[in-house]
Amino acid sequence: MGYYSLKGHGTSNDYMMIVREMDEGFVIRIVRDLDGYEDVTTDFMSKTLFDSCIRTGYLTEIAAAEKLNA
């Protein structure tokens, strides 16, 4: 599946990965770096919202290796 960097403030290393694609959208996992520990959230994102986030630059596709080195 795909990995995406989340636009944030400063040097944030937050990212999102697509866990599963469905007809209506995606099951996603968001990992946020909060002062040394990770906050992991699993949620649903519609395809319309996903497309909008890509178009506006809130999400930027990254390689899995970039995510691990962040």
Side-chain angles (χ1 to χ4, degrees):
M1 297 282 152
Y3 289 88
Y4 297 85
S5 173
L6 300 174
K7 185 176 183 178
H9 301 345
T11 59
S12 174
N13 292 328
D14 302 342
Y15 65 92
M16 178 191 94
M17 67 182 108
I18 296 176
V19 177
R20 184 175 63 197
E21 183 173 355
M22 301 183 306
D23 290 339
E24 305 83 26
F26 306 96
V27 175
I28 59 169
R29 182 167 291 130
I30 298 172
V31 180
R32 295 191 179 271
D33 181 8
L34 300 174
D35 295 328
Y37 76 93
E38 290 184 341
D39 176 40
V40 180
T41 305
T42 303
D43 208 342
F44 175 82
M45 177 182 274
S46 71
K47 287 186 176 183
T48 305
L49 178 57
F50 178 81
D51 290 341
S52 178
C53 289
I54 292 290
R55 189 173 53 254
T56 60
Y58 184 76
L59 293 176
T60 305
E61 189 167 16
I62 59 173
E66 289 180 55
K67 165 200 71 89
L68 297 174
N69 293 328

